[in-house]
Amino acid sequence: MKRFLSAFLVLLLLFGGAKPVSATAPTPMYDQYGAESAGVAINDYDSPLEVENTVLTFDIAEFPKEEYESDAAFLAYTGKLTAQYTIYNPTDTTITAKLLLPCFGQPEYGRKDISVAETYTVLTDGVEVTKTLRHSLGSQRFRTNKDLLWDTYIEDPFYSPDMPVTAYWFAVSDVDNEKYKEASVAIDLPRELGDRRFYLKDMTSFHLMEERASLRLVAYAKNEQRIGLYVIGEPLTEMPQWKFYQERTAKDSEQISGTATLLYSEKLTFQDLTLRNWREEEGISKQDWYNAVVEDINDNSFSRTYPAVFHPDKPPTFTANLMSWYEYEITVEPQQRVVNTVTVPVYPFVREGYEPGVYDYRHFLFTGHTWESFGKLDVVINTPYYLLDSMPQSFEKTDTGYKLSLDALHEDELMFQLCETDNPEKTDSSFNWAWIVLLAAPFLMLIEAFEAIGEFFTNLFQNLF
Protein backbone atom coordinates (compact mmCIF):
# COMPACT_ATOMS: atom_id res chain seq x y z
CA MET A 1 0.00 0.00 0.00
CA LYS A 2 2.76 2.43 0.90
CA ARG A 3 4.60 1.63 -2.31
CA PHE A 4 1.43 2.34 -4.23
CA LEU A 5 1.12 5.73 -2.53
CA SER A 6 4.74 6.60 -3.30
CA ALA A 7 4.30 5.67 -6.95
CA PHE A 8 1.08 7.67 -7.09
CA LEU A 9 2.79 10.78 -5.70
CA VAL A 10 5.68 10.48 -8.14
CA LEU A 11 3.25 10.20 -11.04
CA LEU A 12 1.35 13.18 -9.68
CA LEU A 13 4.57 15.17 -9.52
CA LEU A 14 5.51 14.25 -13.08
CA PHE A 15 2.16 14.50 -14.82
CA GLY A 16 -0.20 16.38 -12.52
CA GLY A 17 0.92 19.87 -13.44
CA ALA A 18 3.38 20.32 -10.56
CA LYS A 19 6.51 22.35 -11.25
CA PRO A 20 9.52 21.40 -9.12
CA VAL A 21 11.71 24.20 -7.85
CA SER A 22 15.08 24.39 -9.60
CA ALA A 23 17.94 26.79 -8.99
CA THR A 24 19.23 26.32 -12.55
CA ALA A 25 15.94 26.10 -14.47
CA PRO A 26 13.43 28.64 -13.14
CA THR A 27 9.78 28.46 -14.09
CA PRO A 28 9.14 30.43 -17.31
CA MET A 29 7.63 33.85 -16.72
CA TYR A 30 5.34 33.88 -19.73
CA ASP A 31 2.53 31.72 -21.09
CA GLN A 32 3.06 33.22 -24.54
CA TYR A 33 5.95 35.29 -25.82
CA GLY A 34 5.38 38.56 -27.59
CA ALA A 35 7.87 40.70 -29.50
CA GLU A 36 9.89 43.66 -28.29
CA SER A 37 10.01 46.99 -30.07
CA ALA A 38 12.90 49.44 -30.27
CA GLY A 39 13.65 52.98 -31.32
CA VAL A 40 15.31 54.31 -34.44
CA ALA A 41 19.13 54.14 -34.62
CA ILE A 42 21.51 56.14 -36.77
CA ASN A 43 23.95 54.12 -38.89
CA ASP A 44 26.78 56.63 -38.69
CA TYR A 45 28.63 56.68 -35.40
CA ASP A 46 30.29 60.02 -36.25
CA SER A 47 27.12 61.83 -37.35
CA PRO A 48 26.46 65.14 -35.54
CA LEU A 49 22.65 64.83 -35.84
CA GLU A 50 20.81 65.16 -32.53
CA VAL A 51 17.44 63.89 -31.34
CA GLU A 52 15.99 66.83 -29.45
CA ASN A 53 12.71 65.24 -28.43
CA THR A 54 11.01 61.84 -28.74
CA VAL A 55 7.35 61.02 -28.22
CA LEU A 56 6.39 57.35 -27.92
CA THR A 57 2.64 56.84 -28.21
CA PHE A 58 1.24 53.39 -27.45
CA ASP A 59 -2.35 52.89 -28.66
CA ILE A 60 -3.66 49.76 -26.94
CA ALA A 61 -7.41 49.33 -27.22
CA GLU A 62 -7.33 45.52 -27.24
CA PHE A 63 -5.23 42.59 -26.05
CA PRO A 64 -4.12 39.92 -28.53
CA LYS A 65 -5.94 36.60 -28.79
CA GLU A 66 -4.32 33.31 -27.81
CA GLU A 67 -4.60 32.18 -31.42
CA TYR A 68 -5.67 33.70 -34.73
CA GLU A 69 -7.65 31.65 -37.24
CA SER A 70 -6.47 33.62 -40.30
CA ASP A 71 -3.81 36.03 -41.53
CA ALA A 72 -6.44 38.74 -41.96
CA ALA A 73 -7.61 38.37 -38.34
CA PHE A 74 -4.04 38.63 -37.06
CA LEU A 75 -3.25 41.68 -39.20
CA ALA A 76 -6.45 43.34 -37.95
CA TYR A 77 -4.98 43.48 -34.42
CA THR A 78 -4.78 47.20 -33.55
CA GLY A 79 -2.11 47.48 -30.85
CA LYS A 80 0.57 49.85 -32.16
CA LEU A 81 3.38 52.22 -31.26
CA THR A 82 3.94 55.55 -33.00
CA ALA A 83 7.40 57.00 -32.34
CA GLN A 84 7.99 60.62 -33.30
CA TYR A 85 11.57 61.95 -33.36
CA THR A 86 12.50 65.62 -33.73
CA ILE A 87 15.95 65.55 -35.33
CA TYR A 88 18.20 68.63 -35.42
CA ASN A 89 21.25 69.46 -37.53
CA PRO A 90 23.50 71.80 -35.50
CA THR A 91 26.11 72.19 -38.28
CA ASP A 92 26.50 74.57 -41.23
CA THR A 93 26.33 71.80 -43.83
CA THR A 94 23.52 69.67 -45.20
CA ILE A 95 23.61 66.17 -43.75
CA THR A 96 22.14 63.02 -45.28
CA ALA A 97 22.08 60.13 -42.84
CA LYS A 98 20.98 56.52 -42.93
CA LEU A 99 18.61 55.50 -40.16
CA LEU A 100 17.73 52.00 -38.99
CA LEU A 101 14.44 50.78 -37.57
CA PRO A 102 14.73 47.37 -35.81
CA CYS A 103 12.24 44.71 -36.94
CA PHE A 104 11.64 42.10 -34.27
CA GLY A 105 10.18 38.64 -34.83
CA GLN A 106 6.71 37.22 -34.66
CA PRO A 107 4.89 36.84 -31.33
CA GLU A 108 4.19 33.27 -30.26
CA TYR A 109 0.48 33.79 -30.88
CA GLY A 110 1.09 35.24 -34.36
CA ARG A 111 0.70 33.77 -37.82
CA LYS A 112 4.00 32.25 -38.95
CA ASP A 113 3.40 32.61 -42.69
CA ILE A 114 3.25 36.42 -42.79
CA SER A 115 5.80 39.15 -42.03
CA VAL A 116 4.68 41.75 -39.52
CA ALA A 117 7.55 43.99 -40.70
CA GLU A 118 5.50 44.70 -43.81
CA THR A 119 3.07 46.68 -41.65
CA TYR A 120 5.77 49.16 -40.52
CA THR A 121 5.45 52.72 -41.84
CA VAL A 122 8.10 55.45 -41.90
CA LEU A 123 7.44 59.16 -42.53
CA THR A 124 9.70 62.20 -42.64
CA ASP A 125 7.81 65.48 -42.18
CA GLY A 126 4.64 63.59 -43.08
CA VAL A 127 5.95 62.09 -46.33
CA GLU A 128 6.44 58.32 -46.58
CA VAL A 129 10.05 57.33 -47.28
CA THR A 130 11.53 54.40 -49.19
CA LYS A 131 12.93 51.76 -46.87
CA THR A 132 15.12 48.71 -47.49
CA LEU A 133 15.20 45.54 -45.43
CA ARG A 134 18.71 44.86 -44.07
CA HIS A 135 20.24 42.26 -41.74
CA SER A 136 23.08 42.00 -39.26
CA LEU A 137 24.36 39.61 -36.63
CA GLY A 138 21.90 39.70 -33.74
CA SER A 139 24.50 40.03 -30.98
CA GLN A 140 25.72 43.26 -32.63
CA ARG A 141 22.34 44.94 -32.96
CA PHE A 142 22.93 47.81 -30.52
CA ARG A 143 26.62 48.59 -30.82
CA THR A 144 27.48 52.21 -30.11
CA ASN A 145 31.20 52.19 -30.91
CA LYS A 146 30.86 51.71 -34.70
CA ASP A 147 28.35 51.62 -37.51
CA LEU A 148 25.61 49.02 -37.20
CA LEU A 149 25.52 48.06 -40.88
CA TRP A 150 28.08 48.40 -43.65
CA ASP A 151 27.44 49.73 -47.16
CA THR A 152 30.24 47.48 -48.44
CA TYR A 153 31.77 44.15 -47.53
CA ILE A 154 33.24 44.33 -44.05
CA GLU A 155 36.96 45.00 -43.78
CA ASP A 156 38.66 42.33 -41.69
CA PRO A 157 42.36 41.92 -40.74
CA PHE A 158 42.38 38.36 -42.15
CA TYR A 159 39.28 37.52 -44.19
CA SER A 160 38.32 39.13 -47.50
CA PRO A 161 35.69 38.15 -50.10
CA ASP A 162 38.26 37.21 -52.78
CA MET A 163 40.61 35.30 -50.44
CA PRO A 164 41.51 31.94 -52.06
CA VAL A 165 40.05 28.75 -50.59
CA THR A 166 40.97 25.21 -51.56
CA ALA A 167 38.61 22.33 -50.80
CA TYR A 168 40.21 18.89 -50.55
CA TRP A 169 37.86 15.91 -50.81
CA PHE A 170 38.86 12.54 -49.38
CA ALA A 171 37.12 9.14 -49.54
CA VAL A 172 36.97 6.96 -46.42
CA SER A 173 37.61 3.21 -46.69
CA ASP A 174 38.95 0.18 -44.79
CA VAL A 175 37.07 1.06 -41.57
CA ASP A 176 35.44 -1.75 -39.57
CA ASN A 177 32.06 -0.06 -39.18
CA GLU A 178 30.44 -3.26 -37.92
CA LYS A 179 32.75 -3.38 -34.92
CA TYR A 180 33.08 0.37 -34.40
CA LYS A 181 29.64 1.93 -34.82
CA GLU A 182 30.92 5.45 -34.02
CA ALA A 183 34.26 5.23 -35.79
CA SER A 184 35.78 8.67 -36.37
CA VAL A 185 38.46 10.24 -38.50
CA ALA A 186 40.58 13.17 -37.28
CA ILE A 187 43.29 15.59 -38.26
CA ASP A 188 45.69 17.40 -35.90
CA LEU A 189 46.37 21.09 -36.53
CA PRO A 190 48.65 23.62 -34.81
CA ARG A 191 46.70 26.17 -32.78
CA GLU A 192 48.36 29.02 -34.68
CA LEU A 193 48.63 28.68 -38.46
CA GLY A 194 49.54 32.20 -39.55
CA ASP A 195 48.24 32.67 -43.10
CA ARG A 196 45.80 29.72 -43.06
CA ARG A 197 42.48 28.78 -41.55
CA PHE A 198 40.85 25.33 -41.71
CA TYR A 199 37.23 24.25 -41.99
CA LEU A 200 36.33 20.56 -41.63
CA LYS A 201 32.89 19.93 -43.12
CA ASP A 202 30.53 18.00 -40.81
CA MET A 203 32.95 18.28 -37.88
CA THR A 204 31.45 16.48 -34.88
CA SER A 205 33.88 17.55 -32.16
CA PHE A 206 37.34 18.92 -31.47
CA HIS A 207 39.91 18.27 -28.76
CA LEU A 208 42.71 20.44 -27.46
CA MET A 209 45.94 18.47 -27.38
CA GLU A 210 47.90 20.33 -24.73
CA GLU A 211 51.09 18.29 -25.00
CA ARG A 212 51.25 19.05 -28.74
CA ALA A 213 49.80 22.56 -28.56
CA SER A 214 47.45 21.45 -31.32
CA LEU A 215 43.78 20.91 -32.11
CA ARG A 216 42.25 17.61 -33.18
CA LEU A 217 39.29 18.06 -35.52
CA VAL A 218 36.99 15.04 -35.62
CA ALA A 219 34.29 13.76 -38.00
CA TYR A 220 32.45 10.44 -38.23
CA ALA A 221 34.09 7.85 -40.49
CA LYS A 222 31.85 5.64 -42.61
CA ASN A 223 33.13 3.66 -45.57
CA GLU A 224 32.48 5.44 -48.89
CA GLN A 225 31.90 8.69 -47.00
CA ARG A 226 33.50 11.87 -48.31
CA ILE A 227 35.45 14.24 -46.07
CA GLY A 228 35.70 17.90 -47.06
CA LEU A 229 38.66 19.87 -45.73
CA TYR A 230 38.62 23.56 -46.66
CA VAL A 231 41.90 25.47 -46.43
CA ILE A 232 41.40 29.25 -46.33
CA GLY A 233 44.46 31.12 -47.53
CA GLU A 234 47.53 29.45 -48.99
CA PRO A 235 46.95 25.89 -50.34
CA LEU A 236 48.59 22.93 -48.64
CA THR A 237 52.09 21.92 -49.74
CA GLU A 238 51.55 18.35 -48.53
CA MET A 239 48.48 16.29 -47.71
CA PRO A 240 47.31 15.97 -44.09
CA GLN A 241 47.81 12.81 -42.05
CA TRP A 242 44.37 11.38 -41.23
CA LYS A 243 43.98 9.03 -38.29
CA PHE A 244 41.04 6.83 -37.34
CA TYR A 245 39.60 6.17 -33.89
CA GLN A 246 36.96 3.98 -32.24
CA GLU A 247 34.69 6.92 -31.46
CA ARG A 248 34.59 10.70 -31.58
CA THR A 249 36.55 11.12 -28.35
CA ALA A 250 39.53 10.28 -30.65
CA LYS A 251 41.86 9.05 -27.93
CA ASP A 252 45.36 7.99 -29.00
CA SER A 253 44.88 4.71 -27.14
CA GLU A 254 41.79 3.91 -29.26
CA GLN A 255 43.29 4.31 -32.74
CA ILE A 256 42.01 1.89 -35.41
CA SER A 257 42.73 1.11 -39.06
CA GLY A 258 41.30 3.21 -41.88
CA THR A 259 42.21 4.98 -45.11
CA ALA A 260 41.49 8.48 -46.42
CA THR A 261 42.24 8.79 -50.14
CA LEU A 262 42.37 12.17 -51.89
CA LEU A 263 39.75 12.24 -54.66
CA TYR A 264 40.15 15.78 -55.96
CA SER A 265 40.53 19.43 -54.94
CA GLU A 266 38.60 22.52 -56.02
CA LYS A 267 39.25 26.25 -55.94
CA LEU A 268 36.80 28.81 -54.63
CA THR A 269 36.80 32.12 -52.76
CA PHE A 270 36.09 32.90 -49.13
CA GLN A 271 32.88 34.63 -50.20
CA ASP A 272 31.79 31.40 -51.93
CA LEU A 273 32.42 29.52 -48.70
CA THR A 274 30.48 31.96 -46.52
CA LEU A 275 27.51 31.86 -48.90
CA ARG A 276 27.25 28.05 -49.00
CA ASN A 277 24.12 28.21 -46.78
CA TRP A 278 22.72 31.45 -48.20
CA ARG A 279 19.25 31.21 -49.73
CA GLU A 280 17.88 33.99 -51.94
CA GLU A 281 14.28 33.22 -50.95
CA GLU A 282 15.04 34.24 -47.34
CA GLY A 283 15.32 37.87 -48.48
CA ILE A 284 18.81 38.47 -47.06
CA SER A 285 21.37 40.15 -49.31
CA LYS A 286 24.65 38.39 -50.03
CA GLN A 287 26.56 41.34 -48.58
CA ASP A 288 24.66 41.32 -45.29
CA TRP A 289 25.02 37.54 -45.02
CA TYR A 290 28.76 37.68 -45.69
CA ASN A 291 29.28 40.47 -43.15
CA ALA A 292 27.26 38.62 -40.52
CA VAL A 293 29.31 35.44 -41.05
CA VAL A 294 32.60 37.32 -40.62
CA GLU A 295 31.27 38.98 -37.47
CA ASP A 296 30.09 35.63 -36.17
CA ILE A 297 33.55 34.16 -36.68
CA ASN A 298 35.23 37.04 -34.87
CA ASP A 299 32.55 37.22 -32.19
CA ASN A 300 32.24 33.65 -30.98
CA SER A 301 34.58 32.42 -28.30
CA PHE A 302 35.60 29.34 -30.33
CA SER A 303 37.19 31.41 -33.09
CA ARG A 304 38.85 33.79 -30.64
CA THR A 305 40.40 30.90 -28.71
CA TYR A 306 41.24 28.75 -31.74
CA PRO A 307 41.83 31.14 -34.66
CA ALA A 308 43.17 28.32 -36.85
CA VAL A 309 39.68 26.83 -37.16
CA PHE A 310 36.87 28.36 -39.18
CA HIS A 311 33.73 27.33 -37.29
CA PRO A 312 30.60 29.13 -38.53
CA ASP A 313 27.06 28.35 -37.42
CA LYS A 314 24.78 26.35 -39.67
CA PRO A 315 21.15 27.02 -40.57
CA PRO A 316 18.72 27.27 -38.97
CA THR A 317 20.90 28.47 -36.05
CA PHE A 318 22.71 31.17 -37.99
CA THR A 319 19.61 32.53 -39.71
CA ALA A 320 17.81 32.70 -36.37
CA ASN A 321 20.65 34.84 -34.98
CA LEU A 322 20.24 37.55 -37.61
CA MET A 323 18.68 40.89 -36.75
CA SER A 324 16.36 42.58 -39.28
CA TRP A 325 16.31 46.33 -39.87
CA TYR A 326 14.57 48.81 -42.14
CA GLU A 327 17.16 51.20 -43.56
CA TYR A 328 16.17 54.59 -44.95
CA GLU A 329 17.65 58.05 -45.49
CA ILE A 330 16.84 61.50 -44.15
CA THR A 331 18.30 64.82 -45.23
CA VAL A 332 18.55 67.73 -42.79
CA GLU A 333 19.58 71.24 -43.86
CA PRO A 334 21.92 73.40 -41.69
CA GLN A 335 20.31 74.38 -38.34
CA GLN A 336 17.08 72.75 -39.47
CA ARG A 337 14.78 70.22 -37.87
CA VAL A 338 12.84 67.31 -39.36
CA VAL A 339 10.23 65.08 -37.74
CA ASN A 340 10.74 61.39 -38.35
CA THR A 341 7.70 59.25 -37.49
CA VAL A 342 7.59 55.45 -37.44
CA THR A 343 4.58 53.26 -36.67
CA VAL A 344 4.94 49.60 -35.72
CA PRO A 345 2.66 46.96 -34.17
CA VAL A 346 3.27 46.06 -30.52
CA TYR A 347 2.85 42.51 -29.26
CA PRO A 348 2.85 42.01 -25.47
CA PHE A 349 4.22 39.07 -23.51
CA VAL A 350 1.43 37.20 -21.71
CA ARG A 351 2.12 36.59 -18.00
CA GLU A 352 1.29 33.11 -16.81
CA GLY A 353 -1.27 32.21 -14.19
CA TYR A 354 -3.38 35.38 -13.87
CA GLU A 355 -7.13 35.97 -14.16
CA PRO A 356 -7.79 38.17 -16.02
CA GLY A 357 -4.60 38.11 -18.09
CA VAL A 358 -1.58 40.35 -17.44
CA TYR A 359 0.33 41.71 -20.46
CA ASP A 360 3.91 42.99 -20.52
CA TYR A 361 4.99 45.56 -23.13
CA ARG A 362 8.75 45.93 -23.69
CA HIS A 363 10.48 48.67 -25.68
CA PHE A 364 14.27 48.93 -25.97
CA LEU A 365 15.88 52.34 -25.66
CA PHE A 366 19.42 51.18 -26.55
CA THR A 367 19.26 52.80 -29.95
CA GLY A 368 19.13 56.25 -28.35
CA HIS A 369 22.83 55.83 -27.54
CA THR A 370 23.75 55.70 -31.24
CA TRP A 371 22.92 59.41 -31.68
CA GLU A 372 25.21 62.33 -30.92
CA SER A 373 22.71 63.31 -28.25
CA PHE A 374 19.25 62.12 -27.25
CA GLY A 375 17.05 64.62 -25.47
CA LYS A 376 13.69 64.57 -23.75
CA LEU A 377 11.52 61.45 -23.92
CA ASP A 378 7.72 61.52 -23.53
CA VAL A 379 5.77 58.28 -23.30
CA VAL A 380 2.00 58.22 -23.78
CA ILE A 381 -0.18 55.13 -23.29
CA ASN A 382 -3.69 55.47 -24.72
CA THR A 383 -5.65 52.57 -23.25
CA PRO A 384 -8.82 51.72 -21.31
CA TYR A 385 -6.90 49.15 -19.24
CA TYR A 386 -5.21 49.38 -15.83
CA LEU A 387 -1.47 49.99 -15.52
CA LEU A 388 -0.07 47.55 -12.93
CA ASP A 389 3.65 48.15 -13.04
CA SER A 390 6.25 50.03 -15.07
CA MET A 391 9.94 50.81 -15.37
CA PRO A 392 12.09 52.86 -15.23
CA GLN A 393 9.55 55.11 -13.45
CA SER A 394 5.87 55.31 -12.56
CA PHE A 395 3.39 56.83 -15.01
CA GLU A 396 0.90 59.58 -14.35
CA LYS A 397 -2.82 58.85 -14.91
CA THR A 398 -4.55 60.86 -17.68
CA ASP A 399 -8.04 61.03 -19.18
CA THR A 400 -7.00 58.68 -22.00
CA GLY A 401 -4.53 56.47 -20.16
CA TYR A 402 -1.10 57.27 -18.76
CA LYS A 403 1.97 59.40 -19.47
CA LEU A 404 5.62 59.65 -18.46
CA SER A 405 8.26 62.32 -19.19
CA LEU A 406 12.02 61.80 -18.92
CA ASP A 407 14.65 64.50 -19.37
CA ALA A 408 17.14 61.97 -20.75
CA LEU A 409 17.72 58.24 -21.15
CA HIS A 410 18.32 56.77 -17.69
CA GLU A 411 17.60 53.15 -18.55
CA ASP A 412 17.94 50.97 -21.63
CA GLU A 413 14.47 49.43 -21.48
CA LEU A 414 10.93 50.69 -21.07
CA MET A 415 8.45 48.16 -19.68
CA PHE A 416 4.87 48.37 -18.48
CA GLN A 417 2.07 45.93 -17.56
CA LEU A 418 -1.60 46.24 -18.46
CA CYS A 419 -4.66 44.33 -17.26
CA GLU A 420 -8.46 44.56 -17.43
CA THR A 421 -8.56 44.99 -13.64
CA ASP A 422 -6.25 46.62 -11.13
CA ASN A 423 -6.03 43.48 -9.00
CA PRO A 424 -5.74 40.27 -11.05
CA GLU A 425 -5.78 36.97 -9.16
CA LYS A 426 -2.93 34.49 -9.30
CA THR A 427 -4.54 31.23 -10.46
CA ASP A 428 -1.57 28.88 -10.84
CA SER A 429 -1.61 26.58 -7.77
CA SER A 430 0.71 23.87 -9.09
CA PHE A 431 3.54 25.21 -6.94
CA ASN A 432 1.68 24.07 -3.80
CA TRP A 433 1.16 20.60 -5.26
CA ALA A 434 4.87 20.35 -5.94
CA TRP A 435 5.73 21.12 -2.34
CA ILE A 436 3.17 18.63 -1.00
CA VAL A 437 4.58 15.89 -3.19
CA LEU A 438 8.21 16.72 -2.46
CA LEU A 439 7.62 16.79 1.30
CA ALA A 440 5.42 13.69 1.49
CA ALA A 441 7.48 11.38 -0.70
CA PRO A 442 10.57 11.16 1.57
CA PHE A 443 8.42 10.17 4.58
CA LEU A 444 6.76 7.38 2.62
CA MET A 445 10.13 6.23 1.34
CA LEU A 446 11.45 6.16 4.92
CA ILE A 447 8.46 4.07 6.06
CA GLU A 448 9.09 1.68 3.18
CA ALA A 449 12.76 1.40 4.15
CA PHE A 450 11.87 0.39 7.74
CA GLU A 451 9.30 -2.04 6.38
CA ALA A 452 11.89 -3.60 4.05
CA ILE A 453 14.40 -3.95 6.92
CA GLY A 454 11.74 -5.63 9.04
CA GLU A 455 10.91 -8.05 6.27
CA PHE A 456 14.61 -8.83 5.79
CA PHE A 457 15.20 -9.74 9.44
CA THR A 458 11.92 -11.67 9.61
CA ASN A 459 12.98 -13.81 6.65
CA LEU A 460 16.48 -14.19 8.06
CA PHE A 461 15.27 -15.49 11.40
CA GLN A 462 12.77 -17.80 9.70
CA ASN A 463 15.59 -19.31 7.62
CA LEU A 464 17.91 -19.65 10.63
CA PHE A 465 15.42 -21.28 12.90
Side-chain angles (χ1 to χ4, degrees):
M1 179 63 181
K2 298 182 183 67
R3 291 176 183 173
F4 169 78
L5 288 173
S6 295
F8 172 75
L9 287 173
V10 171
L11 289 174
L12 183 62
L13 176 62
L14 292 176
F15 303 109
K19 301 177 181 178
V21 177
S22 170
T24 57
T27 302
M29 181 182 297
Y30 299 109
D31 279 332
Q32 290 187 305
Y33 285 82
E36 299 94 342
S37 59
V40 171
I42 188 167
N43 196 38
D44 182 359
Y45 177 63
D46 296 322
S47 174
L49 291 182
E50 304 171 353
V51 177
E52 289 187 327
N53 182 63
T54 301
V55 180
L56 303 179
T57 303
F58 293 86
D59 290 302
I60 304 170
E62 63 172 323
F63 292 134
K65 299 178 181 179
E66 292 184 3
E67 186 176 355
Y68 288 88
E69 66 279 3
S70 67
D71 294 351
F74 176 58
L75 290 174
Y77 167 71
T78 59
K80 66 178 181 179
L81 162 65
T82 301
Q84 188 178 75
Y85 304 88
T86 301
I87 301 171
Y88 175 62
N89 176 10
T91 72
D92 295 326
T93 59
T94 299
I95 295 177
T96 297
K98 289 186 177 180
L99 305 189
L100 297 171
L101 173 63
C103 304
F104 289 91
Q106 295 276 41
E108 190 176 356
Y109 42 78
R111 302 284 293 182
K112 305 305 178 186
D113 52 347
I114 63 174
S115 172
V116 297
E118 295 177 1
T119 65
Y120 289 26
T121 62
V122 180
L123 307 175
T124 299
D125 285 341
V127 179
E128 187 165 359
V129 301
T130 301
K131 56 188 187 297
T132 304
L133 191 63
R134 297 287 307 274
H135 300 83
S136 67
L137 188 66
S139 62
Q140 297 294 318
R141 62 188 180 187
F142 293 124
R143 296 169 304 184
T144 57
N145 60 341
K146 51 183 170 180
D147 295 349
L148 293 162
L149 292 174
W150 286 264
D151 292 331
T152 60
Y153 287 95
I154 188 173
E155 295 183 6
D156 184 81
F158 182 84
Y159 299 107
S160 63
D162 58 353
M163 174 173 279
V165 176
T166 307
Y168 299 89
W169 291 94
F170 300 83
V172 173
S173 60
D174 304 326
V175 178
D176 190 346
N177 289 135
E178 289 297 321
K179 182 176 181 180
Y180 304 109
K181 302 296 184 183
E182 295 188 0
S184 296
V185 60
I187 181 177
D188 290 348
L189 301 173
R191 292 184 64 179
E192 300 291 342
L193 288 179
D195 294 334
R196 289 194 185 107
R197 301 288 187 269
F198 283 77
Y199 166 54
L200 177 59
K201 189 176 185 299
D202 299 324
M203 183 176 74
T204 58
S205 61
F206 75 97
H207 307 288
L208 178 61
M209 316 301 290
E210 291 288 358
E211 67 278 9
R212 301 186 185 91
S214 63
L215 287 173
R216 178 165 293 172
L217 310 186
V218 185
Y220 283 125
K222 302 292 182 184
N223 287 323
E224 300 182 4
Q225 171 189 337
R226 291 188 176 187
I227 307 172
L229 180 65
Y230 292 78
V231 180
I232 306 164
E234 293 298 319
L236 295 175
T237 56
E238 58 182 29
M239 290 300 99
Q241 298 299 312
W242 295 99
K243 295 182 180 180
F244 293 80
Y245 302 89
Q246 296 178 15
E247 51 186 298
R248 69 177 186 172
T249 52
K251 297 179 181 178
D252 288 336
S253 59
E254 297 179 350
Q255 193 168 337
I256 60 175
S257 298
T259 303
T261 305
L262 179 65
L263 295 176
Y264 63 92
S265 63
E266 58 179 333
K267 300 289 186 180
L268 60 155
T269 66
F270 179 66
Q271 181 179 352
D272 296 332
L273 178 59
T274 62
L275 295 177
R276 74 197 189 288
N277 292 320
W278 174 80
R279 301 290 181 269
E280 183 177 4
E281 58 270 20
E282 292 182 348
I284 304 169
S285 71
K286 289 183 178 181
Q287 175 188 304
D288 284 350
W289 183 279
Y290 172 91
N291 290 344
V293 170
V294 174
E295 285 218 290
D296 181 58
I297 296 169
N298 293 327
D299 244 21
N300 70 64
S301 58
F302 183 96
S303 297
R304 289 199 301 268
T305 307
Y306 312 111
V309 181
F310 174 80
H311 186 58
D313 281 333
K314 299 178 181 179
T317 305
F318 182 74
T319 305
N321 287 338
L322 294 183
M323 176 74 185
S324 299
W325 309 78
Y326 270 130
E327 180 184 70
Y328 58 95
E329 289 187 349
I330 63 168
T331 298
V332 190
E333 301 296 333
Q335 286 88 47
Q336 295 295 311
R337 292 171 177 82
V338 300
V339 177
N340 181 219
T341 305
V342 301
T343 302
V344 302
V346 288
Y347 301 106
F349 292 67
V350 185
R351 287 264 180 178
E352 65 171 10
Y354 285 94
E355 181 59 40
V358 174
Y359 299 84
D360 284 9
Y361 294 81
R362 297 167 59 181
H363 179 81
F364 289 130
L365 301 171
F366 293 101
T367 52
H369 301 302
T370 63
W371 296 86
E372 176 67 21
S373 65
F374 195 92
K376 183 180 177 183
L377 172 65
D378 294 313
V379 184
V380 177
I381 306 174
N382 295 321
T383 183
Y385 303 122
Y386 290 90
L387 181 68
L388 302 183
D389 194 11
S390 64
M391 60 173 291
Q393 295 181 23
S394 299
F395 282 70
E396 176 186 345
K397 186 73 174 72
T398 66
D399 293 338
T400 59
Y402 304 88
K403 68 177 183 179
L404 169 67
S405 294
L406 299 173
D407 292 333
L409 289 180
H410 301 291
E411 300 288 342
D412 288 331
E413 182 178 8
L414 171 71
M415 188 278 290
F416 58 90
Q417 294 178 351
L418 296 179
C419 182
E420 292 179 357
T421 71
D422 59 353
N423 189 26
E425 294 184 4
K426 181 71 172 172
T427 60
D428 187 359
S429 59
S430 60
F431 176 81
N432 294 332
W433 275 108
W435 275 111
I436 292 172
V437 174
L438 292 173
L439 292 174
F443 287 103
L444 289 178
M445 293 174 64
L446 186 61
I447 292 172
E448 284 191 16
F450 281 116
E451 184 181 71
I453 293 172
E455 289 179 0
F456 171 77
F457 281 107
T458 298
N459 293 332
L460 177 62
F461 283 117
Q462 286 176 348
N463 292 332
L464 289 175
F465 302 101

